[in-house]
């Protein structure tokens, strides 16, 4: 008995028809193109940015040249990276709290339909109300700066985890639930051995969204809070740089935020791949 | 052969009506002997799966009684195999077969001898670490059967387990299932809509009719075991298939007549 098909990679000695050869070449081109194209376009965009600055003689305080921005990242590294650490701390902490809160609530919801019916509307209210509008209230009720930012980022990040995990916990094969019942499984065993693993792909999908939102939440919250203290994050650096017409530093901070967002996304995608690659459809490699 | 005349399971005038008003089963009486290979054969909607779920304890009858004779029934005593393999997609073959033991508190290590034995019986030795999506449909079903047998149940309930498989794989699994049954001597209730499969496997066939689901007829398949490939092409098999097929056609016609009467009665 054979297991599944082996990957259909053509060995050099293999005789293949022209159509299959064409397909193989196209696959190879697509593989290379998938990283080469975005890099090339990005490079061209940066060159164009630089040329526009030079051709139009745009002053540095309006649009700095990319080289200047890069120099600023290096020159202001200690300042920018300590700010980045502050923003990153808020992001990671709020994401962790969002996971705890989102998964915890989702598990609670699956224990009883009535709890879900009662509490889900509150979660939606929190989600649909713009965080910028809620923040003044948080500002009144909470003293500690970090707690304020954390709360804000949490509100933004927890909903996708909650709603995805709830969906996942409820999307379990009915027959498997019957099978567990037949074997006298307890509620806890069904949750641990069946519902939680089955919800994993949904949870990880929510986590990818929440990771980006936590960063946005952390930055937006700091913008609204607007206080530039000793240990302030990248948003404060941007506000500060804006006041001083220090466009290069503003761009530098902006680029650091973007890169952080990309890194968070890549890290979470990688985790998702590690967990799911052996069994879930979404993580399977397409061979043909 | 394992079959005896001691009743093991008795259904006393079982009825099942759903909240929607559909009567799935009406006055079903059934006697299953220890060691029987009994098929429930019937058209879709005749309540054969509902009957199986009631026997398994997954569903309660609206009326009537399920009676188990002999030694008191423990949770281990019922094995269940679904139409789909119904495996945990994230768990290896080994862990899938371990699952029923794990739910009973048996550690992974303590379960090893039992798991190895049952995997060998279903010809899956060497595939312990594979996950379900790496297996073919027939192999997944073998894992499902191994999982059903690892607790050494006294009765194995099978709900159209091979319906989704191709014919070659189905024949092979039929043979292997009979072999297991002869070796281990458990009782089987096998739900199917295939005349040929039910005749090949069982010593008794209960033919059911639909709307409402009821027992229509019973066919004794008195061909001797072991049955193998040559039995499939024997005149004896053909005759038994014809007999069973006639009973099934009668059951389907009975439903059609009932429907006609209802329609005429309504107008």
């Amino acid at each position: 008995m054979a297991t599944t098909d082996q990957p259909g990679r053509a060995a050099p000695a293999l005789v293949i028809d022209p159509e299959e050869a064409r397909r193989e070449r196209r696959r190879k081109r697509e593989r290379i193109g998938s990283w080469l194209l975005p890099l090339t376009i990005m490079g061209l965009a940066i060159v164009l940015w630089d040329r526009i600055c030079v051709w139009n003689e745009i002053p540095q305080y309006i649009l700095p040249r990319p080289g200047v921005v890069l120099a600023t990242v290096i020159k202001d590294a200690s300042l920018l990276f300590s700010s980045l650490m502050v923003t990153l701390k808020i992001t990671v902490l709020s994401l962790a709290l969002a996971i705890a809160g989102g998964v915890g609530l989702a598990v609670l919801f699956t224990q009883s339909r009535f709890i879900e019916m009662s509490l889900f509307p509150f979660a939606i209210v929190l989600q649909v109300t713009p965080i910028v509008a809620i923040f003044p209230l948080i500002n009144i009720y909470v003293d500690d700066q970090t707690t304020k930012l954390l709360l804000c980022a949490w509100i933004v990040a927890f909903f996708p985890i909650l709603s995805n995990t709830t969906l996942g916990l409820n999307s379990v094969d009915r027959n498997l639930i019957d099978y567990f019942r037949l074997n006298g499984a307890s509620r806890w065993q069904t949750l641990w051995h069946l519902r939680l693993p089955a919800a994993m792909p949904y949870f990880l999908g929510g986590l990818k969204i929440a990771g980006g939102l936590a960063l946005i939440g952390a930055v937006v919250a700091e913008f609204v809070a607007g206080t530039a203290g000793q240990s302030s994050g990248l948003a404060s650096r941007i506000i500060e740089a804006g006041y001083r017409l220090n466009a290069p530093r503003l761009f530098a901070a902006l680029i650091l935020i973007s890169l952080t967002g990309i890194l968070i996304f890549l890290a979470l995608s990688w985790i998702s791949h590690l967990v799911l690659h052996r069994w879930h459809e979404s993580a399977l490699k397409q061979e043909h | 052969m394992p079959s005896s005349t001691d009743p093991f399971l008795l259904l006393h005038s079982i009825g099942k009506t759903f909240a929607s008003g559909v009567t799935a089963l009406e006055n079903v009486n059934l006697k299953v002997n220890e060691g029987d290979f009994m098929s429930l054969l019937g058209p879709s909607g005749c309540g054969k799966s509902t009957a199986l779920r009631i026997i398994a304890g997954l569903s309660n009858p609206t009326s009537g009684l399920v009676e188990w004779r002999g030694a008191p029934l423990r949770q281990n005593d019922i094995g269940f195999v679904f139409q789909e393999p119904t495996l945990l997609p994230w768990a290896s073959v080994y862990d899938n077969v371990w699952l029923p033991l794990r739910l009973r508190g048996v550690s992974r290590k303590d379960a090893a001898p039992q798991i190895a034995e049952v995997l060998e019986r279903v010809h899956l030795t060497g595939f312990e670490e594979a996950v379900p999506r790496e297996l073919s449909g027939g192999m997944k079903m073998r894992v499902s059967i191994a999982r059903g047998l690892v607790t050494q149940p006294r009765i194995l309930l099978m709900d159209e387990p091979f319906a989704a498989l191709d014919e070659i794989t189905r024949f092979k699994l039929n043979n292997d299932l009979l072999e297991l049954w002869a070796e281990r001597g458990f009782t089987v209730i096998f739900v199917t809509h295939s005349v040929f499969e039910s005749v090949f496997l069982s010593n008794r066939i209960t033919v059911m009719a639909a709307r409402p689901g009821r027992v229509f007829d019973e066919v004794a398949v008195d061909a001797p075991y072991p049955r193998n490939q040559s039995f499939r092409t024997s005149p004896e098999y053909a005759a038994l298939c014809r007999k069973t097929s006639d009973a099934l056609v009668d059951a389907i016609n009975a439903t059609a007549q009932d429907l006609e009467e209802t329609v005429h009665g309504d107008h």
Side-chain angles (χ1 to χ4, degrees):
Chain A
M1 266 178 282
T3 42
T4 46
D5 324 4
Q6 290 301 306
R9 212 165 289 139
L14 208 65
V15 181
I16 46 177
D17 57 281
E19 196 206 342
E20 190 58 30
R22 231 180 358 259
R23 202 175 292 148
E24 183 61 27
R25 275 201 300 277
R26 201 180 60 217
R27 264 204 293 274
K28 210 173 280 171
R29 271 205 306 274
E30 273 173 17
R31 258 204 306 279
I32 297 169
S34 67
W35 56 268
L36 193 64
L37 268 181
L39 279 184
T40 313
I41 298 296
M42 185 68 80
L44 283 177
I46 291 172
V47 170
L48 187 68
W49 167 12
D50 188 63
R51 288 301 94 192
I52 286 174
C53 292
V54 174
W55 292 331
N56 298 313
E57 294 170 1
I58 300 174
Q60 204 183 74
Y61 58 87
I62 292 182
L63 182 62
R65 290 172 60 181
V68 178
V69 173
L70 185 66
T72 311
V73 171
I74 296 164
K75 186 168 63 91
D76 295 349
S78 67
L79 182 73
L80 286 173
F81 279 91
S82 67
S83 292
L84 175 64
M85 280 306 134
V86 174
T87 304
L88 207 56
K89 194 182 95 189
I90 301 283
T91 305
V92 171
L93 269 179
S94 67
L95 188 60
L97 289 175
I99 292 171
V103 173
L105 266 178
V107 167
L108 194 67
F109 284 0
T110 47
Q111 297 310 301
S112 154
R113 279 259 164 226
F114 291 108
I115 299 178
E116 182 178 350
M117 284 179 215
S118 318
L119 294 185
F120 209 72
F122 286 95
I124 295 173
V125 168
L126 271 184
Q127 165 70 12
V128 296
T129 313
I131 193 64
V132 182
I134 307 177
F135 195 79
L137 282 177
I138 296 176
N139 214 5
I140 297 172
Y141 300 139
V142 184
D143 274 339
D144 180 57
Q145 176 79 1
T146 310
T147 315
K148 268 184 221 174
L149 302 184
L150 215 52
L151 193 60
C152 247
W154 180 81
I155 290 175
V156 181
F158 102 109
F159 188 78
I161 295 188
L162 170 69
S163 84
N164 270 31
T165 311
T166 306
L167 179 66
L169 289 171
N170 287 327
S171 305
V172 181
D173 183 347
R174 293 281 123 195
N175 282 338
L176 270 171
I177 290 180
D178 278 347
Y179 184 79
F180 271 66
R181 208 147 68 83
L182 203 64
N183 283 280
S186 66
R187 190 177 272 251
W188 167 248
Q189 282 179 317
T190 310
L191 179 69
W192 187 249
H193 296 307
L194 180 61
R195 286 192 191 268
L196 282 177
M200 202 46 108
Y202 297 83
F203 162 74
L204 289 168
L207 185 65
K208 261 192 247 180
I209 302 171
L213 286 180
L215 179 65
I216 293 175
V219 172
V220 168
E222 208 189 342
F223 256 104
V224 186
T227 42
Q230 279 294 309
S231 62
S232 41
L234 278 175
S236 310
R237 291 283 94 86
I238 290 179
I239 297 173
E240 199 181 82
Y243 285 145
R244 295 181 187 169
L245 293 182
N246 188 348
R249 189 185 286 174
L250 201 153
F251 269 85
L254 203 56
I255 284 171
L256 281 184
I257 292 177
S258 294
L259 285 179
T260 309
I262 292 170
L263 280 182
I264 290 174
F265 181 80
L266 288 179
L268 293 177
S269 301
W270 181 66
I271 291 174
S272 175
H273 175 78
L274 279 189
V275 176
L276 300 181
H277 73 111
R278 263 200 95 188
W279 66 275
H280 197 255
E281 293 298 325
S282 68
L284 299 188
K285 247 189 232 142
Q286 221 167 2
E287 286 297 343
H288 294 285
Chain B
M1 275 291 97
S3 183
S4 74
T5 49
D6 302 330
F8 174 43
L9 164 68
L10 292 162
L11 300 193
H12 300 289
S13 49
I14 294 285
K16 177 74 184 178
T17 307
F18 293 118
S20 59
V22 174
T23 304
L25 292 174
E26 195 177 80
N27 195 27
V28 170
N29 290 291
L30 208 63
K31 193 181 91 174
V32 183
N33 296 330
E34 185 100 53
D36 261 350
F37 198 122
M38 141 99 66
S39 283
L40 294 181
L41 175 70
S44 54
C46 72
K48 46 195 196 301
S49 292
T50 309
L52 204 67
R53 287 176 62 85
I54 288 174
I55 294 169
L58 283 171
S59 175
N60 290 322
T62 312
S63 57
L65 187 74
V66 178
E67 185 194 351
W68 296 93
R69 291 273 180 87
L73 201 77
R74 299 161 307 141
Q75 198 136 48
N76 285 12
D77 286 340
I78 301 180
F80 203 103
V81 178
F82 296 88
Q83 179 172 358
E84 303 295 323
T86 318
L87 304 173
L88 303 176
W90 52 85
S92 65
V93 167
Y94 185 98
D95 287 344
N96 265 295
V97 177
W98 175 37
L99 179 66
L101 298 172
R102 186 185 201 182
L103 293 174
R104 290 166 175 79
V106 182
S107 78
R108 199 170 192 270
K109 219 176 80 201
D110 290 346
Q114 277 161 281
I115 295 173
E117 202 252 56
V118 80
L119 282 179
E120 200 211 314
R121 280 279 182 281
V122 298
H123 310 297
L124 280 177
T125 306
F127 289 98
E128 288 84 354
E129 293 314 313
V131 290
R133 59 158 277 266
E134 295 165 346
L135 304 176
S136 67
M139 289 167 85
K140 280 186 223 172
M141 207 25 104
R142 285 173 190 278
V143 179
S144 193
I145 292 171
R147 186 183 64 180
L149 289 177
V150 76
T151 56
Q152 307 201 306
R154 283 164 67 198
I155 184 163
L156 190 61
L157 306 175
M158 306 183 88
D159 189 1
E160 301 192 36
F162 309 140
L165 301 177
D166 64 275
E167 199 170 64
I168 297 168
T169 311
R170 190 163 61 232
F171 282 4
K172 211 162 155 27
L173 279 165
N174 283 166
N175 295 340
D176 292 351
L177 178 62
L178 278 187
E179 222 170 85
L180 276 166
W181 172 69
E183 260 173 44
R184 294 203 162 192
F186 47 83
T187 308
V188 182
I189 301 181
F190 190 94
V191 166
T192 179
H193 53 237
S194 161
V195 169
F196 306 103
E197 193 173 40
S198 63
V199 172
F200 182 75
L201 292 172
S202 19
N203 63 335
R204 290 169 60 206
I205 300 171
T206 299
V207 181
M208 295 182 72
R211 277 177 292 253
R214 59 196 187 274
V215 173
F216 184 80
D217 200 356
E218 188 174 321
V219 181
V221 185
D222 35 26
Y225 294 95
R227 297 175 186 167
N228 49 24
Q229 270 325 104
S230 64
F231 176 62
R232 275 194 195 282
T233 46
S234 67
E236 191 186 9
Y237 178 67
L240 283 163
C241 285
R242 186 173 315 123
K243 191 169 139 196
T244 310
S245 179
D246 288 347
L248 182 62
V249 168
D250 287 345
I252 293 167
N253 286 340
T255 305
Q257 271 167 19
D258 287 355
L259 274 186
E260 247 165 61
E261 275 162 30
T262 333
V263 171
H264 288 303
D266 281 351
H267 291 281

